[in-house]
Amino acid sequence: MFLSAPALGMGWTMAVVLLIEDDPRYRMMMRSMLEVEGHIVRSTTNGEEGIESFGQNRPDVVITDMIMPRRDGIETIGLLRQLDSSVPIVAVSGASEDVLMVARTIGAVATLAKPFSAPALLKAVADAVGTPSIQ
């Protein structure tokens, strides 16, 4: 569900984002980056909560950390793909590049290695949902 903002004079489209991140600093940072851009963000602290939230209300895009307690990113991506094979998923991780390669293999459309910049996150989300990013 994309919410078109041209009527508001903004000329861009915002997305509903499900953010699954166990690190409170990264969760707050990413949420802020996305909300400043105009996205609507729902956040959870682990994959188990993320799957539950996804089942209650499908977002336009999911951003998930790869290394988390109570269901890691690999299992989370696999379960999300079972629920909806078309939802775009962006995987983030501070672990090795190998972890991000696995995420791409199992269905992430984009990956970001921590630390990353706001423009990198916003571009990944915009590319994932097929809308231009605002620079």
Side-chain angles (χ1 to χ4, degrees):
M1 156 175 85
F2 294 104
L3 303 172
S4 181
L8 301 174
M10 295 178 211
W12 48 271
T13 303
M14 60 185 153
V16 176
V17 179
L18 173 58
L19 173 60
I20 308 170
E21 171 63 61
D22 65 315
D23 183 320
R25 293 167 302 173
Y26 265 96
R27 192 172 54 252
M28 288 173 43
M29 177 189 69
M30 286 190 282
R31 179 182 202 108
S32 176
M33 289 174 180
L34 293 162
E35 287 178 343
V36 164
E37 185 80 355
H39 299 295
I40 297 167
V41 181
R42 296 190 334 253
S43 62
T44 64
T45 61
N46 61 62
E48 195 171 291
E49 292 173 0
I51 296 297
E52 183 178 324
S53 178
F54 184 89
Q56 293 171 357
N57 191 4
R58 184 197 183 279
D60 297 316
V61 62
V62 175
I63 301 171
T64 185
D65 189 18
M66 294 303 294
I67 309 298
M68 300 179 288
R70 297 182 55 204
R71 192 163 280 139
D72 66 19
I74 292 171
E75 188 178 2
T76 299
I77 292 170
L79 288 168
L80 288 169
R81 285 284 164 248
Q82 289 175 18
L83 293 170
D84 185 339
S85 62
S86 67
V87 67
I89 300 170
V90 177
V92 299
S93 183
S96 72
E97 181 62 30
D98 293 343
V99 171
L100 294 174
M101 285 182 15
V102 169
R104 280 187 224 103
T105 302
I106 62 172
V109 298
T111 59
L112 293 170
K114 293 177 181 177
F116 48 80
S117 66
L121 176 65
L122 298 173
K123 181 177 181 342
V125 169
D127 289 351
V129 297
T131 59
S133 59
I134 299 171
Q135 299 292 325

